[in-house]
């Protein structure tokens, strides 16, 4: 099969399935992963697909949103390093084992990994609308855990709509650990769903310090609902996949960057 024929078939699969991944395509077409990456790069340049970590989605699918299990499996090592680095940003120092403070944990796979890293002896007030986040913290004896209610989005296991918005408008937390589906200096902070975006916008207003947890694959991605600007973020914790030049550009705009 010639490259143009293979690329046409890749485009068809992407449009039918909503996304394609490099390893599956390499196996299907009996070519190397590097060959598939070149095909995806050519399709991306033609404006037919948008590259994402490990594969691609059809162009125009800015509302595409993988389910929770799929997102957790993407960039797992990077997310774990980000979560561990984020421990240092908890009130009271690494692990939150010093003086008590209050934090908001956004719904998201990296935030859930941070929740799993918080020591049992931590003494914090934690507020979250993410069911997986709350489940990982429910047995911590030193935490005062508040679970914000609302309509639960099955894809993200997060509470949204009026109940969630009202609850977050009533608090002032020390630190927010924020999640996003895409971020960039020009595109800002974006997510596919308007209800999720409304909650995230309210989270930003509910905390004195905003720490964004986002792996580098999300850099440059833009989704349907914009909920903030990078200037709303005090600290970005990402991985070394974000280039030093991109990190410097973000820092020049006023956001500190840690590459874990």
């Amino acid at each position: 099969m010639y490259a143009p024929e293979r690329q046409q078939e890749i485009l068809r699969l992407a449009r039918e399935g909503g996304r394609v991944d490099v390893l599956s395509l390499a196996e299907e077409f009996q070519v190397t992963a590097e060959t598939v990456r070149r095909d995806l790069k050519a399709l991306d340049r033609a404006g037919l697909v948008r590259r994402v970590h490990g594969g691609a989605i059809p162009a125009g699918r800015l509302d595409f949103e993988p389910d929770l299990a799929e997102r957790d499996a993407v960039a797992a090592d990077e997310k774990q390093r980000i979560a561990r680095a984020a421990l240092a940003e908890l009130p009271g120092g690494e692990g939150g084992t010093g003086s008590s403070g209050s934090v908001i944990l956004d719904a998201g796979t990296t935030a859930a990994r941070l929740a799993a890293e918080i020591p049992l002896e931590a003494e914090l007030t934690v507020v979250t609308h993410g069911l997986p986040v709350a489940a990982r913290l429910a047995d911590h004896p030193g935490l005062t855990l508040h679970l914000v209610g609302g309509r639960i989005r099955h894809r993200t296991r997060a509470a949204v709509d009026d109940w969630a918005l009202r609850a977050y408008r009533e608090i002032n937390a020390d630190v927010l650990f924020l999640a996003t589906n895409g971020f960039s200096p020009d595109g800002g902070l974006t997510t596919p769903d308007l209800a999720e975006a409304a909650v995230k916008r309210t989270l930003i207003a509910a905390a004195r310090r905003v720490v964004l947890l986002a792996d580098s694959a999300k850099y440059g991605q833009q989704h349907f609902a914009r909920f903030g600007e990078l200037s709303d973020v005090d600290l970005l914790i990402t991985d070394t996949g974000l280039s030093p030049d991109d990190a410097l550009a973000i820092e020049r705009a006023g956001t500190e960057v840690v590459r874990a």
Side-chain angles (χ1 to χ4, degrees), residues 45-240:
R45 285 178 173 173
L48 298 172
V49 303
R50 181 185 293 275
R51 293 294 306 276
V52 297
H53 188 83
I57 61 175
R61 288 293 304 278
L62 296 184
D63 59 339
F64 175 75
E65 188 176 15
D67 63 25
L68 198 65
E70 183 179 352
R71 286 190 292 118
D72 191 44
V74 172
D77 291 342
E78 291 85 349
K79 290 176 180 178
Q80 195 64 36
R81 295 200 304 272
I82 291 168
R84 288 172 179 162
L87 284 174
E89 301 306 316
L90 290 170
E94 185 165 336
T97 55
S99 59
S100 61
S102 57
V103 302
I104 300 170
L105 286 179
D106 193 3
T109 55
T110 310
R113 287 174 182 268
L114 170 57
E117 292 290 327
I118 295 176
L120 281 173
E121 63 271 22
E123 296 181 359
L124 295 166
T125 296
V126 179
V127 186
T128 186
H129 60 290
L131 296 184
V133 173
R136 296 190 183 193
L137 295 174
D139 293 331
H140 283 52
L143 297 184
T144 301
L145 178 62
H146 298 269
L147 177 59
V148 170
R151 176 176 64 87
I152 301 298
R153 291 195 69 230
H154 296 296
R155 188 167 291 276
T156 60
R157 309 296 193 272
V160 295
D161 295 343
D162 288 347
W163 282 3
L165 297 176
R166 285 201 303 268
Y168 278 123
R169 287 179 185 136
E170 294 177 355
I171 66 172
N172 291 295
D174 294 318
V175 184
L176 160 66
F177 292 94
L178 180 67
T180 188
N181 296 78
F183 70 99
S184 67
D186 295 330
L189 308 173
T190 60
T191 193
D193 185 76
L194 285 169
E196 296 259 12
V199 173
K200 290 177 185 292
R201 195 175 299 116
T202 307
L203 296 184
I204 292 171
R208 287 181 281 275
R209 177 170 168 81
V210 178
V211 178
L212 178 64
L213 309 179
D215 62 83
S216 60
K218 295 173 181 174
Y219 182 72
Q221 291 195 38
Q222 295 185 34
H223 295 267
F224 177 64
R226 184 167 178 156
F227 62 88
E229 308 295 335
L230 264 179
S231 59
D232 295 324
V233 175
D234 297 292
L235 170 65
L236 163 66
I237 303 179
T238 187
D239 58 81
T240 53

